[in-house]
Amino acid sequence: MEQEIFRHIVLDFMQMAEFAREPFVIERGEGLSLFDTHGKRYLDGLSGIFVTSLGYGNETVIQAMVAQLRRLHFAPPLHGTNPAALALVEELRQHWAPPGLGTVKLLSGGSEATEAAIKLARQYHKQTGHPRKYKIIAKYGAYHGATLGALAASGGWERKSVFEPLAVGFLHVHPPSCYRCPFDKVYPTCGLTCARLIERTIQAEDPETVAAVIMEPISVSSAGFTVPPPEFFPLLREICDRYNVLLIFDEIITGFGRLGAKFGADYYGVVPDLICCGKGMSGGYAPLAAVLIADRVWEAFLGAPAERREFHHGHTYGGNPVAAAAGLAVLQEIRRRGLVANARAMGAYLRARLGALAARFPLIGDVRGAGLLQGVELVRERATRAPFGAERPGKVLDQLLRERGLLLRCGDDFVVFAPPLVVTPADIDAMCALFEEALALAQQRLLGVAAS
Ligand code: PLP
Protein backbone atom coordinates (compact mmCIF):
# COMPACT_ATOMS: atom_id res chain seq x y z
CA MET A 1 0.00 0.00 0.00
CA GLU A 2 1.17 3.51 -0.81
CA GLN A 3 2.78 4.95 2.37
CA GLU A 4 1.96 8.53 1.34
CA ILE A 5 -1.70 8.03 2.26
CA PHE A 6 -0.80 7.74 5.98
CA ARG A 7 0.14 11.42 5.94
CA HIS A 8 -3.43 12.25 5.04
CA ILE A 9 -5.57 10.25 7.40
CA VAL A 10 -6.18 11.14 11.05
CA LEU A 11 -6.75 8.21 13.42
CA ASP A 12 -8.07 8.44 16.97
CA PHE A 13 -5.73 9.71 19.69
CA MET A 14 -2.75 8.57 17.64
CA GLN A 15 0.62 10.03 16.68
CA MET A 16 0.36 9.64 12.94
CA ALA A 17 4.08 10.15 12.26
CA GLU A 18 4.76 7.01 14.30
CA PHE A 19 1.80 5.13 12.84
CA ALA A 20 2.97 5.88 9.29
CA ARG A 21 6.25 4.05 10.00
CA GLU A 22 4.40 0.82 10.84
CA PRO A 23 0.78 1.16 9.69
CA PHE A 24 -1.79 -1.35 10.89
CA VAL A 25 -4.50 -1.81 8.29
CA ILE A 26 -7.22 -4.38 8.89
CA GLU A 27 -8.72 -5.87 5.78
CA ARG A 28 -11.06 -8.64 6.82
CA GLY A 29 -12.81 -10.20 9.79
CA GLU A 30 -14.07 -13.74 10.35
CA GLY A 31 -15.46 -15.15 13.59
CA LEU A 32 -13.11 -13.98 16.33
CA SER A 33 -10.26 -13.17 13.97
CA LEU A 34 -9.08 -10.09 12.11
CA PHE A 35 -6.67 -10.15 9.18
CA ASP A 36 -4.39 -7.28 8.20
CA THR A 37 -3.42 -6.34 4.66
CA HIS A 38 -0.38 -8.66 4.86
CA GLY A 39 -2.67 -11.58 5.66
CA LYS A 40 -1.52 -11.77 9.29
CA ARG A 41 -4.21 -13.04 11.67
CA TYR A 42 -5.08 -11.43 15.00
CA LEU A 43 -7.32 -12.94 17.65
CA ASP A 44 -9.72 -10.26 18.79
CA GLY A 45 -9.61 -10.38 22.57
CA LEU A 46 -11.21 -6.94 22.84
CA SER A 47 -14.29 -7.17 20.57
CA GLY A 48 -12.78 -4.44 18.40
CA ILE A 49 -13.09 -1.96 21.21
CA PHE A 50 -15.86 -3.51 23.37
CA VAL A 51 -18.06 -3.59 20.27
CA THR A 52 -18.13 -6.81 18.22
CA SER A 53 -20.15 -8.96 20.64
CA LEU A 54 -21.08 -11.49 17.94
CA GLY A 55 -17.69 -11.52 16.24
CA TYR A 56 -17.20 -10.84 12.53
CA GLY A 57 -19.31 -11.97 9.57
CA ASN A 58 -22.57 -12.87 11.34
CA GLU A 59 -24.88 -13.80 8.45
CA THR A 60 -28.14 -13.28 10.37
CA VAL A 61 -27.22 -9.67 11.08
CA ILE A 62 -25.88 -9.04 7.59
CA GLN A 63 -29.06 -10.37 6.00
CA ALA A 64 -31.28 -8.27 8.27
CA MET A 65 -29.29 -5.21 7.26
CA VAL A 66 -29.38 -5.99 3.54
CA ALA A 67 -33.14 -6.53 3.68
CA GLN A 68 -33.54 -3.18 5.44
CA LEU A 69 -31.24 -1.45 2.94
CA ARG A 70 -33.48 -2.66 0.12
CA ARG A 71 -36.67 -1.57 1.89
CA LEU A 72 -35.61 1.83 3.29
CA HIS A 73 -32.09 3.03 3.99
CA PHE A 74 -32.95 6.44 5.45
CA ALA A 75 -36.02 8.00 7.00
CA PRO A 76 -36.32 11.77 7.52
CA PRO A 77 -35.81 12.22 11.28
CA LEU A 78 -37.49 15.62 11.60
CA HIS A 79 -40.70 14.30 10.10
CA GLY A 80 -41.14 10.94 11.77
CA THR A 81 -39.68 7.54 12.50
CA ASN A 82 -39.64 4.11 10.81
CA PRO A 83 -40.70 0.52 11.62
CA ALA A 84 -37.10 -0.67 12.22
CA ALA A 85 -36.52 2.01 14.86
CA LEU A 86 -39.85 1.16 16.51
CA ALA A 87 -39.01 -2.55 16.55
CA LEU A 88 -35.65 -1.82 18.18
CA VAL A 89 -37.28 0.38 20.83
CA GLU A 90 -39.76 -2.42 21.55
CA GLU A 91 -36.92 -4.95 21.85
CA LEU A 92 -35.11 -2.67 24.31
CA ARG A 93 -38.25 -2.05 26.36
CA GLN A 94 -39.39 -5.67 26.46
CA HIS A 95 -36.14 -7.52 26.90
CA TRP A 96 -33.30 -5.26 28.05
CA ALA A 97 -34.17 -2.09 29.95
CA PRO A 98 -34.28 -2.26 33.75
CA PRO A 99 -37.77 -1.73 35.25
CA GLY A 100 -39.10 1.78 34.78
CA LEU A 101 -36.73 2.81 31.98
CA GLY A 102 -39.35 2.63 29.28
CA THR A 103 -38.38 5.38 26.84
CA VAL A 104 -35.55 5.34 24.31
CA LYS A 105 -33.65 8.03 22.42
CA LEU A 106 -31.82 6.39 19.52
CA LEU A 107 -28.44 7.82 18.51
CA SER A 108 -25.33 6.83 16.58
CA GLY A 109 -22.38 6.80 18.98
CA GLY A 110 -21.36 6.77 22.62
CA SER A 111 -20.45 10.46 22.81
CA GLU A 112 -23.84 11.36 21.37
CA ALA A 113 -25.45 9.25 24.09
CA THR A 114 -23.58 10.83 27.00
CA GLU A 115 -24.14 14.34 25.58
CA ALA A 116 -27.86 13.59 25.28
CA ALA A 117 -28.06 12.21 28.82
CA ILE A 118 -26.39 15.31 30.26
CA LYS A 119 -28.79 17.54 28.33
CA LEU A 120 -31.79 15.41 29.38
CA ALA A 121 -30.77 15.80 33.04
CA ARG A 122 -30.43 19.58 32.79
CA GLN A 123 -33.68 20.06 30.88
CA TYR A 124 -35.52 17.70 33.25
CA HIS A 125 -34.68 19.82 36.27
CA LYS A 126 -35.61 23.05 34.46
CA GLN A 127 -39.02 21.56 33.72
CA THR A 128 -39.67 20.21 37.21
CA GLY A 129 -39.20 23.36 39.20
CA HIS A 130 -35.43 23.21 39.83
CA PRO A 131 -33.97 25.54 37.19
CA ARG A 132 -30.70 26.07 39.10
CA LYS A 133 -29.72 22.41 38.93
CA TYR A 134 -27.10 22.13 36.18
CA LYS A 135 -23.89 20.71 37.66
CA ILE A 136 -22.75 17.26 36.62
CA ILE A 137 -20.54 15.19 38.90
CA ALA A 138 -18.29 12.61 37.27
CA LYS A 139 -15.14 10.84 38.33
CA TYR A 140 -11.49 11.26 37.59
CA GLY A 141 -10.35 8.58 35.19
CA ALA A 142 -13.74 8.34 33.46
CA TYR A 143 -14.10 8.53 29.69
CA HIS A 144 -17.51 9.66 28.47
CA GLY A 145 -16.63 10.64 24.93
CA ALA A 146 -14.72 13.02 22.70
CA THR A 147 -17.26 15.79 22.02
CA LEU A 148 -16.95 18.89 24.17
CA GLY A 149 -19.71 18.15 26.73
CA ALA A 150 -18.80 14.47 27.04
CA LEU A 151 -15.15 15.48 27.31
CA ALA A 152 -15.94 17.98 30.06
CA ALA A 153 -17.54 15.09 31.95
CA SER A 154 -14.54 12.85 31.29
CA GLY A 155 -11.93 12.77 34.00
CA GLY A 156 -8.53 12.14 32.41
CA TRP A 157 -6.42 15.22 31.71
CA GLU A 158 -4.58 13.42 28.89
CA ARG A 159 -7.44 13.86 26.42
CA LYS A 160 -8.78 17.13 27.86
CA SER A 161 -6.19 19.67 28.81
CA VAL A 162 -5.31 20.84 25.28
CA PHE A 163 -8.94 21.85 24.76
CA GLU A 164 -9.46 23.68 28.02
CA PRO A 165 -11.32 25.67 29.11
CA LEU A 166 -14.22 23.26 28.60
CA ALA A 167 -17.91 23.69 29.42
CA VAL A 168 -18.68 24.93 32.91
CA GLY A 169 -20.60 22.94 35.49
CA PHE A 170 -18.62 19.68 35.47
CA LEU A 171 -17.03 18.49 38.73
CA HIS A 172 -14.92 15.45 39.42
CA VAL A 173 -14.54 13.13 42.40
CA HIS A 174 -11.95 10.46 43.03
CA PRO A 175 -12.87 6.98 41.75
CA PRO A 176 -13.90 3.90 43.75
CA SER A 177 -10.65 2.01 43.04
CA CYS A 178 -10.03 -0.45 45.85
CA TYR A 179 -6.65 -1.69 44.58
CA ARG A 180 -5.28 1.86 44.72
CA CYS A 181 -7.70 3.62 47.03
CA PRO A 182 -7.36 7.39 46.49
CA PHE A 183 -8.15 7.81 50.20
CA ASP A 184 -5.51 5.28 51.33
CA LYS A 185 -8.20 3.11 52.93
CA VAL A 186 -8.78 -0.60 52.77
CA TYR A 187 -12.03 -2.17 51.61
CA PRO A 188 -14.33 -3.18 53.34
CA THR A 189 -13.32 -1.33 56.51
CA CYS A 190 -13.15 1.93 54.51
CA GLY A 191 -16.83 2.70 55.09
CA LEU A 192 -17.14 3.51 51.37
CA THR A 193 -15.42 6.89 51.69
CA CYS A 194 -15.51 7.14 47.87
CA ALA A 195 -19.33 7.26 47.86
CA ARG A 196 -19.68 9.31 51.04
CA LEU A 197 -17.45 12.04 49.64
CA ILE A 198 -19.81 12.36 46.67
CA GLU A 199 -22.52 13.25 49.19
CA ARG A 200 -20.20 15.82 50.78
CA THR A 201 -19.47 17.25 47.33
CA ILE A 202 -23.20 17.62 46.58
CA GLN A 203 -23.69 19.33 49.94
CA ALA A 204 -20.72 21.64 49.46
CA GLU A 205 -21.84 22.67 45.96
CA ASP A 206 -25.41 23.42 47.12
CA PRO A 207 -27.68 20.47 46.24
CA GLU A 208 -30.03 22.85 44.45
CA THR A 209 -27.32 23.33 41.78
CA VAL A 210 -26.48 19.65 41.16
CA ALA A 211 -28.31 17.97 38.27
CA ALA A 212 -26.72 14.53 37.92
CA VAL A 213 -23.95 12.11 38.70
CA ILE A 214 -22.58 10.21 35.69
CA MET A 215 -20.52 7.05 36.17
CA GLU A 216 -19.57 3.94 34.24
CA PRO A 217 -20.41 0.77 36.25
CA ILE A 218 -16.91 -0.44 35.42
CA SER A 219 -14.55 1.89 33.63
CA VAL A 220 -11.73 1.23 31.23
CA SER A 221 -9.92 4.32 30.02
CA SER A 222 -6.37 5.46 29.42
CA ALA A 223 -6.41 6.48 33.10
CA GLY A 224 -7.08 2.97 34.43
CA PHE A 225 -9.41 0.04 34.97
CA THR A 226 -11.81 0.66 37.85
CA VAL A 227 -14.13 -1.99 39.31
CA PRO A 228 -16.18 -0.46 42.14
CA PRO A 229 -17.04 -2.64 45.16
CA PRO A 230 -20.60 -4.08 45.31
CA GLU A 231 -21.93 -1.56 47.86
CA PHE A 232 -20.78 1.52 45.95
CA PHE A 233 -23.65 1.98 43.51
CA PRO A 234 -26.50 1.12 45.93
CA LEU A 235 -25.11 3.77 48.28
CA LEU A 236 -24.69 6.27 45.44
CA ARG A 237 -28.30 5.63 44.40
CA GLU A 238 -29.46 6.49 47.95
CA ILE A 239 -27.36 9.66 47.96
CA CYS A 240 -28.71 10.80 44.57
CA ASP A 241 -32.28 10.19 45.75
CA ARG A 242 -31.67 12.22 48.91
CA TYR A 243 -30.74 15.33 46.91
CA ASN A 244 -32.93 14.96 43.81
CA VAL A 245 -29.86 14.30 41.69
CA LEU A 246 -30.27 12.04 38.63
CA LEU A 247 -28.04 8.99 38.39
CA ILE A 248 -26.70 8.41 34.86
CA PHE A 249 -24.98 5.13 34.04
CA ASP A 250 -22.59 5.29 31.10
CA GLU A 251 -22.95 1.66 29.96
CA ILE A 252 -21.36 2.15 26.58
CA ILE A 253 -18.83 -0.56 27.45
CA THR A 254 -20.78 -2.53 30.07
CA GLY A 255 -24.20 -2.84 28.38
CA PHE A 256 -25.80 -5.76 26.56
CA GLY A 257 -24.25 -8.69 28.38
CA ARG A 258 -20.62 -7.60 28.71
CA LEU A 259 -20.65 -8.13 32.50
CA GLY A 260 -22.62 -11.38 32.33
CA ALA A 261 -25.80 -9.40 33.12
CA LYS A 262 -27.96 -7.37 30.76
CA PHE A 263 -26.51 -4.11 32.06
CA GLY A 264 -24.06 -3.00 34.74
CA ALA A 265 -27.22 -1.72 36.46
CA ASP A 266 -28.35 -5.36 36.82
CA TYR A 267 -24.88 -6.51 37.84
CA TYR A 268 -24.78 -3.97 40.69
CA GLY A 269 -28.52 -4.26 41.48
CA VAL A 270 -29.24 -0.57 40.99
CA VAL A 271 -31.72 1.20 38.71
CA PRO A 272 -30.32 4.49 37.39
CA ASP A 273 -32.45 7.27 35.88
CA LEU A 274 -30.69 7.28 32.52
CA ILE A 275 -28.58 4.61 30.82
CA CYS A 276 -26.25 5.52 27.96
CA CYS A 277 -25.49 2.59 25.70
CA GLY A 278 -23.78 1.94 22.39
CA LYS A 279 -20.86 -0.21 21.18
CA GLY A 280 -22.12 -3.82 21.66
CA MET A 281 -25.68 -2.68 20.95
CA SER A 282 -25.14 -3.25 17.23
CA GLY A 283 -22.11 -5.51 17.57
CA GLY A 284 -20.33 -2.96 15.37
CA TYR A 285 -22.45 -3.78 12.32
CA ALA A 286 -23.66 -0.17 12.25
CA PRO A 287 -23.10 3.02 14.25
CA LEU A 288 -25.76 2.78 16.96
CA ALA A 289 -26.28 4.08 20.49
CA ALA A 290 -29.15 5.05 22.78
CA VAL A 291 -30.22 6.63 26.02
CA LEU A 292 -32.76 4.66 28.06
CA ILE A 293 -34.89 7.10 30.04
CA ALA A 294 -36.79 6.55 33.31
CA ASP A 295 -40.54 7.04 33.00
CA ARG A 296 -40.59 9.62 35.78
CA VAL A 297 -37.96 11.64 33.94
CA TRP A 298 -39.67 11.34 30.57
CA GLU A 299 -43.00 12.55 32.03
CA ALA A 300 -41.44 16.01 32.36
CA PHE A 301 -40.93 16.22 28.60
CA LEU A 302 -44.57 15.70 27.60
CA GLY A 303 -47.08 18.52 27.17
CA ALA A 304 -48.63 20.89 24.65
CA PRO A 305 -46.31 22.15 21.86
CA ALA A 306 -46.65 25.74 23.09
CA GLU A 307 -45.07 24.70 26.41
CA ARG A 308 -41.84 23.75 24.57
CA ARG A 309 -41.24 20.81 26.89
CA GLU A 310 -39.98 18.50 24.12
CA PHE A 311 -36.33 17.36 24.30
CA HIS A 312 -34.43 19.99 22.36
CA HIS A 313 -31.95 17.61 20.81
CA GLY A 314 -31.42 15.53 17.68
CA HIS A 315 -29.01 14.08 15.13
CA THR A 316 -29.46 13.26 11.45
CA TYR A 317 -28.63 9.57 11.91
CA GLY A 318 -30.47 8.90 15.19
CA GLY A 319 -32.96 6.07 14.56
CA ASN A 320 -31.50 5.32 11.13
CA PRO A 321 -33.40 2.26 9.79
CA VAL A 322 -30.33 0.26 8.76
CA ALA A 323 -28.60 0.86 12.10
CA ALA A 324 -31.82 -0.03 13.92
CA ALA A 325 -32.20 -3.25 11.89
CA ALA A 326 -28.63 -4.18 12.77
CA GLY A 327 -29.24 -3.48 16.47
CA LEU A 328 -32.45 -5.47 16.52
CA ALA A 329 -30.82 -8.47 14.82
CA VAL A 330 -27.83 -8.36 17.20
CA LEU A 331 -29.92 -8.08 20.36
CA GLN A 332 -32.26 -10.87 19.25
CA GLU A 333 -29.25 -13.05 18.42
CA ILE A 334 -27.75 -12.40 21.87
CA ARG A 335 -31.02 -13.54 23.44
CA ARG A 336 -31.60 -16.48 21.10
CA ARG A 337 -28.13 -17.88 21.74
CA GLY A 338 -28.13 -17.20 25.49
CA LEU A 339 -25.01 -15.06 25.18
CA VAL A 340 -25.48 -13.12 28.41
CA ALA A 341 -25.25 -16.41 30.31
CA ASN A 342 -22.31 -17.41 28.11
CA ALA A 343 -20.55 -14.15 29.04
CA ARG A 344 -21.06 -15.02 32.70
CA ALA A 345 -19.73 -18.56 32.33
CA MET A 346 -16.85 -17.67 29.99
CA GLY A 347 -16.03 -14.67 32.17
CA ALA A 348 -15.59 -16.98 35.15
CA TYR A 349 -13.38 -19.24 33.04
CA LEU A 350 -11.24 -16.33 31.82
CA ARG A 351 -10.96 -14.99 35.36
CA ALA A 352 -9.72 -18.39 36.59
CA ARG A 353 -7.16 -18.53 33.76
CA LEU A 354 -5.88 -15.05 34.61
CA GLY A 355 -5.81 -15.97 38.30
CA ALA A 356 -3.64 -18.99 37.47
CA LEU A 357 -1.27 -16.75 35.49
CA ALA A 358 -1.11 -14.29 38.40
CA ALA A 359 0.03 -17.14 40.66
CA ARG A 360 3.04 -17.67 38.38
CA PHE A 361 3.86 -14.12 37.23
CA PRO A 362 4.74 -11.54 39.91
CA LEU A 363 4.36 -8.86 37.22
CA ILE A 364 0.61 -9.25 37.80
CA GLY A 365 -0.41 -7.38 40.94
CA ASP A 366 -4.18 -7.79 40.69
CA VAL A 367 -6.84 -9.56 38.64
CA ARG A 368 -10.27 -7.91 38.55
CA GLY A 369 -13.39 -7.48 36.46
CA ALA A 370 -16.85 -8.88 35.87
CA GLY A 371 -18.23 -11.18 33.19
CA LEU A 372 -16.26 -10.86 29.98
CA LEU A 373 -14.53 -7.66 31.08
CA GLN A 374 -11.51 -8.94 32.96
CA GLY A 375 -8.09 -7.43 33.40
CA VAL A 376 -4.80 -7.45 35.24
CA GLU A 377 -2.81 -4.64 36.80
CA LEU A 378 0.95 -4.77 36.27
CA VAL A 379 3.24 -3.90 39.19
CA ARG A 380 6.94 -3.66 39.94
CA GLU A 381 6.45 -5.43 43.27
CA ARG A 382 3.34 -7.32 44.19
CA ALA A 383 3.69 -7.15 47.99
CA THR A 384 3.87 -3.34 48.05
CA ARG A 385 1.80 -2.78 44.87
CA ALA A 386 4.66 -0.52 43.70
CA PRO A 387 3.81 0.76 40.21
CA PHE A 388 6.26 1.06 37.31
CA GLY A 389 5.92 4.67 36.25
CA ALA A 390 7.83 5.69 33.13
CA GLU A 391 8.49 2.15 31.86
CA ARG A 392 4.79 1.69 31.02
CA PRO A 393 4.66 -2.12 31.16
CA GLY A 394 1.30 -2.20 29.37
CA LYS A 395 2.90 -0.63 26.32
CA VAL A 396 5.68 -3.22 26.37
CA LEU A 397 3.04 -5.95 26.48
CA ASP A 398 0.97 -4.34 23.73
CA GLN A 399 3.86 -4.61 21.29
CA LEU A 400 4.58 -8.24 22.25
CA LEU A 401 0.90 -9.16 21.96
CA ARG A 402 0.54 -7.56 18.54
CA GLU A 403 3.58 -9.47 17.30
CA ARG A 404 1.91 -12.68 18.48
CA GLY A 405 -1.43 -11.80 16.93
CA LEU A 406 -3.58 -10.96 19.96
CA LEU A 407 -5.47 -7.68 20.36
CA LEU A 408 -6.21 -6.53 23.93
CA ARG A 409 -6.64 -3.15 25.63
CA CYS A 410 -3.28 -2.21 27.10
CA GLY A 411 -3.10 0.88 29.29
CA ASP A 412 0.15 2.09 30.86
CA ASP A 413 -0.11 -0.45 33.67
CA PHE A 414 -3.12 -2.64 32.96
CA VAL A 415 -4.29 -5.07 30.32
CA VAL A 416 -7.97 -5.78 29.74
CA PHE A 417 -9.65 -8.68 27.94
CA ALA A 418 -13.15 -8.21 26.52
CA PRO A 419 -13.62 -10.94 23.91
CA PRO A 420 -16.86 -11.28 21.91
CA LEU A 421 -19.78 -12.77 23.89
CA VAL A 422 -19.70 -15.81 21.58
CA VAL A 423 -16.27 -16.84 22.89
CA THR A 424 -15.66 -20.53 23.78
CA PRO A 425 -13.26 -22.12 26.31
CA ALA A 426 -10.99 -23.07 23.38
CA ASP A 427 -10.87 -19.43 22.23
CA ILE A 428 -9.99 -18.30 25.74
CA ASP A 429 -7.29 -20.97 25.97
CA ALA A 430 -5.81 -19.73 22.68
CA MET A 431 -5.87 -16.10 23.87
CA CYS A 432 -4.36 -16.98 27.25
CA ALA A 433 -1.58 -19.01 25.62
CA LEU A 434 -0.53 -15.98 23.53
CA PHE A 435 -0.92 -13.70 26.56
CA GLU A 436 1.30 -16.02 28.65
CA GLU A 437 4.04 -15.98 26.01
CA ALA A 438 4.01 -12.18 25.88
CA LEU A 439 3.83 -11.92 29.66
CA ALA A 440 6.90 -14.13 30.09
CA LEU A 441 8.94 -11.92 27.76
CA ALA A 442 7.65 -8.69 29.30
CA GLN A 443 8.37 -9.89 32.83
CA GLN A 444 11.87 -10.98 31.88
CA ARG A 445 12.50 -7.60 30.28
CA LEU A 446 10.95 -5.49 33.05
CA LEU A 447 11.72 -7.46 36.23
CA GLY A 448 14.46 -9.82 35.04
CA VAL A 449 12.45 -12.73 36.45
CA ALA A 450 11.11 -15.85 34.72
CA ALA A 451 7.68 -17.32 35.44
CA SER A 452 7.50 -19.80 38.33
N1 PLP B 1 -18.37 6.24 27.22
C1 PLP B 1 -17.56 5.20 27.40
C2 PLP B 1 -17.57 4.47 28.71
C3 PLP B 1 -16.69 4.81 26.37
O1 PLP B 1 -15.85 3.78 26.55
C4 PLP B 1 -16.73 5.51 25.15
C5 PLP B 1 -15.83 5.14 24.04
O2 PLP B 1 -14.87 4.44 24.16
C6 PLP B 1 -17.60 6.59 25.01
C7 PLP B 1 -18.42 6.93 26.07
C8 PLP B 1 -17.67 7.36 23.72
O3 PLP B 1 -18.20 6.57 22.73
P1 PLP B 1 -17.92 6.86 21.17
O4 PLP B 1 -16.46 6.65 20.96
O5 PLP B 1 -18.79 5.85 20.47
O6 PLP B 1 -18.35 8.26 20.91
Side-chain angles (χ1 to χ4, degrees), residues 3 10-11 26 30 67 98 133 149 156 236 254 258-259 286 345 366 391 400 444:
Q3 297 294 305
V10 185
L11 303 185
I26 298 159
E30 189 185 308
K133 277 186 173 280
L236 182 59
T254 54
R258 173 56 54 199
L259 304 186
D366 190 35
E391 281 149 292
L400 293 164
Q444 191 66 51

Side-chain angles (χ1 to χ4, degrees), residues 96-115:
W96 295 91
L101 272 72
T103 301
V104 181
K105 174 74 179 157
L106 292 176
L107 299 156
S108 307
S111 307
E112 282 188 8
T114 51
E115 292 276 350

Side-chain angles (χ1 to χ4, degrees), residues 49-50 109-112 114 143-146 216 220 250 252-253 279:
I49 176 93
F50 313 107
S111 307
E112 282 188 8
T114 51
Y143 181 66
H144 296 298
E216 315 98 310
V220 189
D250 177 346
I252 285 151
I253 289 178
K279 290 197 188 268

Side-chain angles (χ1 to χ4, degrees), residues 351-390:
R351 172 64 160 265
R353 292 292 316 253
L354 294 178
L357 288 175
R360 297 179 36 233
F361 288 88
L363 183 61
I364 297 179
D366 190 35
V367 182
R368 57 182 180 266
L372 277 176
L373 184 62
Q374 298 286 343
V376 299
E377 183 151 339
L378 307 167
V379 290
R380 185 184 295 286
E381 191 182 46
R382 184 183 288 162
T384 59
R385 303 186 181 183
F388 272 95

Side-chain angles (χ1 to χ4, degrees), residues 84-133:
L86 291 172
L88 175 58
V89 168
E90 208 43 36
E91 167 76 17
L92 290 164
R93 282 166 45 82
Q94 293 296 324
H95 300 291
W96 295 91
L101 272 72
T103 301
V104 181
K105 174 74 179 157
L106 292 176
L107 299 156
S108 307
S111 307
E112 282 188 8
T114 51
E115 292 276 350
I118 290 164
K119 289 172 75 176
L120 276 163
R122 286 185 172 177
Q123 194 180 333
Y124 164 76
H125 287 298
K126 290 234 166 22
Q127 293 177 181
T128 52
H130 300 276
R132 291 172 56 230
K133 277 186 173 280

